[in-house]
């Protein structure tokens, strides 16, 4: 009988605990946003941070709350944006983007201060006295830090300079963060013209370092019919929202540094 009573007591206590936990579970249950769950399942799961949020979970929560656009995932592109837009009951306008390297200084046209052979990163080179082997203080160091962080094999070092494969690029922005020279930016894929140089030096100094760099002559700005070409610190840049893509600046540029994409 003592064993029977012991079993009965233990069973009764277990039953009471089970009931208590069941009641507590109902009162303490965390509400799940079904839209957030559905959006998270639609995202590719790369957790690259290209959307500006800490991974796909963060983006899914932001989209579900209406704090972010359904097309915010650069990796998923139009197909994923369309699915998420349907989940949210809205329309999504997707503008395909890509990374762009604003430097034309490959081994054939740019000069080096010295020859380096080793395993130095771009960040290491940028922090040493002189800022690396490149004669241009603003040019691509060609050591591949951007290549190492790209998860999509979309950027490579060719002839001493970073080159983006626009077909593979997902515009996640990791290469942008990896470049200590600030040469890489994310631009819409339908951009027609870009200035392929970032040097802020004056024309004479530019020519001593790179034969194709922007010399700040201003001819592109003078010929632009809509004043879309601007100058900051001796370097031309194109105001894309007013550019009419006529190509006059590229034709007039004596260094042919304005590139048609």
């Amino acid at each position: 009988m003592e064993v029977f009573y012991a079993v009965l007591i233990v069973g009764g206590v277990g039953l009471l605990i089970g009931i208590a936990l069941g009641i507590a579970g109902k009162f303490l249950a965390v509400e799940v946003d079904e839209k957030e769950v559905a959006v998270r399942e639609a995202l590719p799961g790369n957790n690259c941070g290209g959307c500006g949020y800490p991974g796909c979970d963060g983006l899914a929560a932001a989209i579900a709350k209406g704090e972010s656009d359904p097309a915010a995932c650069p990796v998923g592109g139009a197909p994923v944006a369309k699915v998420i837009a349907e989940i949210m009951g809205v329309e999504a306008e997707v503008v395909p983007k890509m990374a762009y390297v604003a430097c034309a200084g490959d081994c054939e046209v740019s000069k080096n201060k010295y020859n380096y052979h080793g395993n130095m990163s771009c960040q290491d080179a940028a922090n040493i006295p002189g800022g690396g082997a490149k004669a241009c203080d603003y040019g691509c160091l060609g050591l591949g830090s951007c290549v190492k962080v790209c998860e999509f094999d979309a950027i490579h070092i060719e002839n001493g300079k970073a080159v983006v494969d626009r077909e593979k690029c997902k515009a996640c922005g990791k290469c942008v963060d990896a470049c200590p020279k600030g040469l890489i930016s994310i631009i819409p894929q339908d951009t027609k013209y870009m200035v392929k140089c970032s040097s802020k030096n004056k024309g004479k100094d530019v020519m001593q370092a790179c034969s194709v760099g922007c010399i700040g002559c201003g001819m592109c700005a003078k010929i632009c019919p809509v004043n879309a070409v601007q100058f900051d610190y001796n370097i031309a840049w194109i105001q894309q929202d007013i550019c009419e893509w006529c190509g006059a600046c590229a034709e007039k540029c004596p260094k042919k540094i304005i590139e048609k994409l």
Side-chain angles (χ1 to χ4, degrees):
M1 291 298 292
E2 292 180 355
V3 174
F4 174 75
Y5 287 132
V7 171
L8 185 62
I9 293 172
V10 171
V13 171
L15 179 62
L16 291 174
I17 292 175
I19 294 172
L21 289 176
I23 296 172
K26 290 183 179 181
F27 282 102
L28 300 177
V30 178
E31 293 186 6
V32 177
D33 189 330
E34 294 182 0
K35 285 188 176 181
E36 180 180 336
V37 174
V39 170
R40 179 62 185 88
E41 291 177 352
L43 291 171
N46 291 80
N47 293 311
C48 64
C51 58
Y53 291 89
C56 294
D57 289 342
L59 177 59
I63 292 175
K65 294 176 183 177
E67 298 174 355
S68 184
D69 190 88
C73 176
V75 177
V80 169
K82 182 179 180 180
V83 172
I84 294 176
E86 291 177 355
I87 294 170
M88 297 301 298
V90 297
E91 294 184 0
E93 182 179 354
V94 182
V95 179
K97 296 182 179 181
M98 65 179 183
Y100 180 80
V101 183
C103 178
D106 60 26
C107 294
E108 296 179 2
V109 298
S110 64
K111 298 177 182 178
N112 287 334
K113 291 176 287 189
Y114 55 84
N115 292 324
Y116 172 78
H117 301 281
N119 194 30
M120 187 182 296
S121 69
C122 294
Q123 287 81 2
D124 293 335
N127 290 326
I128 64 175
K134 192 79 99 175
C136 175
D137 295 331
Y138 302 91
C140 176
L141 294 166
L143 297 174
S145 290
C146 53
V147 177
K148 293 177 182 178
V149 299
C150 181
E151 298 179 10
F152 308 100
D153 191 37
I155 189 165
H156 303 92
I157 301 300
E158 297 180 7
N159 200 17
K161 186 184 73 67
V163 176
V164 176
D165 184 338
R166 63 186 302 167
E167 299 299 325
K168 293 182 178 181
C169 181
K170 303 298 183 180
C172 69
K174 284 193 173 182
C175 56
V176 177
D177 296 333
C179 179
K181 296 288 186 176
L183 300 176
I184 309 177
S185 60
I186 302 298
I187 64 172
Q189 283 192 5
D190 61 359
T191 301
K192 300 299 181 183
Y193 291 93
M194 288 290 291
V195 179
K196 202 171 185 179
C197 180
S198 299
S199 177
K200 297 177 182 178
N201 290 330
K202 293 183 178 180
K204 181 181 178 181
D205 295 328
V206 172
M207 293 306 299
Q208 289 179 347
C210 178
S211 62
V212 298
C214 175
I215 57 177
C217 64
M219 296 180 70
C220 52
K222 293 176 183 177
I223 200 172
C224 180
V226 294
N227 297 319
V229 183
Q230 306 293 325
F231 272 85
D232 283 326
Y233 303 102
N234 303 311
I235 182 71
W237 61 277
I238 300 173
Q239 194 171 334
Q240 298 293 340
D241 58 339
I242 64 173
C243 178
E244 296 183 347
W245 304 332
C246 66
C249 57
E251 290 292 329
K252 194 67 175 179
C253 177
K255 306 307 297 182
K256 302 303 177 186
I257 197 60
I258 300 179
E259 179 184 29
K260 183 177 181 180
L261 303 181

